[in-house]
Amino acid sequence: KGQQRILLVMATGTGKTLAYAIPIVQALKSEEDKQGSVGALPNRPRVIVIAPSKELVVQIYDVFNELAHEVKLKIEKIERASNWQRKINYLNEGVDVLVTNPDKLNRLLKENRILLSSVDYFIIDEADALLESGEEKLLLSLSKQLFYEKRENDLKHAQIIFVSATLTNKLKIFLEITFAGLTKMLVTSESHINLSHIKHFFVSVGEKNRLEILETELKRLPQKNYKIIFCNTVASVRAVDYYLKS
């Protein structure tokens, strides 16, 4: 409360979504009660949440939808291009909370399908991953529009919440450049904890072929054990899958 820019850093699985969704839903409902149930305006969401993956968009949507059911707020998600017109129709009718990913949000803005004038909360979930995936330009543009530029009939600025499981140097630099030390950081003690039963090894690959190095490292591990390979993009998942199968 009273903070316009917040960085929330919590370990994965500790309830980051609920940490911002509950107070936002409560604030939206309180505002409606004070103003006589204003509700969402056409094409003007009151909350925008962006996340890097379709799966996370759906997960965040489900959390908001469950919370908002009792207070009758309109929640919508746009995580894929299919049924685009139907989604636009929902926006035309007015939604309180829009959950989407950066490319879909960018398309909505370019096509003038939504306006930012009524946005009270802008949440950037997995901000570290979004910056690493090259969305810095879009995040910078949106942050400046919502914080630095005057809004229609209202000088209040949107509250911007950055959510991350890790506090990376890239994220810290982004916040320092964008808001010049004006961000309140909430970092839990569980962040950056290495589990005692898991061994960590780091391999510097430089310009070498990462897939060949991955194959070499996998062969060194006991063959009877299961392995899980995490990739940061869908394209990487497909490349690793194709390489290892071939």
Side-chain angles (χ1 to χ4, degrees):
K1 184 177 180 180
Q3 290 290 336
Q4 292 304 101
R5 300 146 308 279
I6 297 175
L7 170 63
L8 176 62
V9 182
M10 298 172 64
T12 301
T14 54
K16 292 191 296 295
T17 305
L18 285 173
Y20 64 78
I22 291 175
I24 286 175
V25 169
Q26 182 180 20
L28 292 180
K29 189 58 181 175
S30 297
E31 185 177 349
E32 283 192 2
D33 292 340
K34 290 178 182 178
Q35 298 183 8
S37 188
V38 175
L41 297 173
N43 308 106
R44 286 175 166 84
R46 300 159 70 190
V47 179
I48 295 178
V49 186
I50 60 172
S53 67
K54 297 176 182 178
E55 293 77 12
L56 186 55
V57 167
V58 174
Q59 178 183 320
I60 295 169
Y61 166 82
D62 288 341
V63 172
F64 267 100
N65 206 36
E66 185 171 353
L67 291 173
H69 178 69
E70 295 298 328
V71 294
K72 309 304 180 185
L73 296 174
K74 295 181 180 179
I75 318 295
E76 189 53 67
K77 67 179 185 297
I78 301 180
E79 82 283 12
R80 61 184 73 233
S82 59
N83 299 319
W84 183 257
Q85 189 54 51
R86 187 176 68 179
K87 300 290 187 179
I88 298 303
N89 293 339
Y90 289 146
L91 293 175
N92 292 340
E93 295 172 2
V95 300
D96 294 292
V97 180
L98 172 64
V99 187
T100 186
N101 42 42
D103 61 322
K104 301 301 180 297
L105 179 59
N106 201 25
R107 179 179 173 183
L108 290 169
L109 292 170
K110 285 184 176 180
E111 295 180 2
N112 294 316
R113 300 293 190 177
I114 62 170
L115 300 174
L116 301 178
S117 57
S118 295
V119 175
D120 290 317
Y121 303 95
F122 178 49
I123 299 92
I124 304 167
D125 208 323
E126 291 202 5
D128 52 345
L130 285 170
L131 288 173
E132 291 296 334
S133 63
E135 299 294 349
E136 184 174 354
K137 187 175 180 180
L138 176 62
L139 296 184
L140 182 61
S141 173
L142 289 169
S143 298
K144 286 187 173 181
Q145 286 183 67
L146 291 166
F147 180 71
Y148 289 111
E149 298 177 12
K150 293 181 180 179
R151 296 162 49 172
E152 299 174 13
N153 305 318
D154 191 356
L155 297 179
K156 183 178 66 175
H157 301 293
Q159 185 176 69
I160 303 175
I161 303 173
F162 298 87
V163 184
S164 178
T166 59
L167 184 54
T168 62
N169 287 331
K170 198 163 188 175
L171 179 55
K172 286 191 286 186
I173 292 171
F174 175 83
L175 293 174
E176 289 170 1
I177 292 175
T178 309
F179 298 115
L182 298 176
T183 304
K184 179 178 179 60
M185 295 190 180
L186 303 174
V187 183
T188 64
S189 59
E190 290 84 8
S191 303
H192 309 291
I193 291 180
N194 292 332
L195 298 178
S196 59
H197 64 284
I198 297 179
K199 295 181 179 179
H200 296 261
F201 300 93
F202 297 87
V203 181
S204 179
V205 298
E207 298 299 321
K208 299 176 183 177
N209 189 319
R210 297 188 177 201
L211 294 176
E212 290 181 359
I213 294 175
L214 173 63
E215 181 185 8
T216 300
E217 294 301 320
L218 287 173
K219 288 179 178 178
R220 291 180 181 177
L221 298 174
Q223 296 302 303
K224 63 180 181 178
N225 294 344
Y226 290 104
K227 291 92 176 172
I228 301 176
I229 302 172
F230 290 95
C231 303
N232 63 350
T233 65
V234 173
S236 296
V237 170
R238 291 171 178 164
V240 170
D241 178 62
Y242 178 81
Y243 179 85
L244 294 178
K245 284 181 177 178
S246 62

